Amino acid sequence: MSLVMYDDVPWAELCSPPLTVIAQPGRDMGYRAAELVLRSGGRRPRSVVLPTELIVRGSCGPHR
């Protein structure tokens, strides 16, 4: 069994085994959300795709 979580919190590496995470740009997500709301002017909202990163650590993969 593997375990993957969202957000690369500082304590994820301290777990045993270290947790595999999907890192998201939290600050950019908040900034873009606010920007979309403030600039929408009643128009239909558009989609924004921000980069994410899979950081594989000890909680994922084969253990022998």
Side-chain angles (χ1 to χ4, degrees), residues 10-33:
W11 52 265
E13 287 187 86
L14 302 176
C15 294
S16 180
L19 297 176
T20 296
V21 298
I22 298 174
Q24 304 175 87
R27 181 172 288 163
D28 289 343
M29 289 170 60
Y31 176 82
R32 294 293 180 127

Side-chain angles (χ1 to χ4, degrees), residues 30-42:
Y31 176 82
R32 294 293 180 127
E35 182 180 49
L36 287 173
V37 169
L38 295 173
R39 293 185 181 192
S40 69

Side-chain angles (χ1 to χ4, degrees), residues 1-16:
M1 177 175 0
S2 295
L3 178 65
V4 178
M5 66 178 268
Y6 277 93
D7 292 335
D8 191 15
V9 293
W11 52 265
E13 287 187 86
L14 302 176
C15 294
S16 180

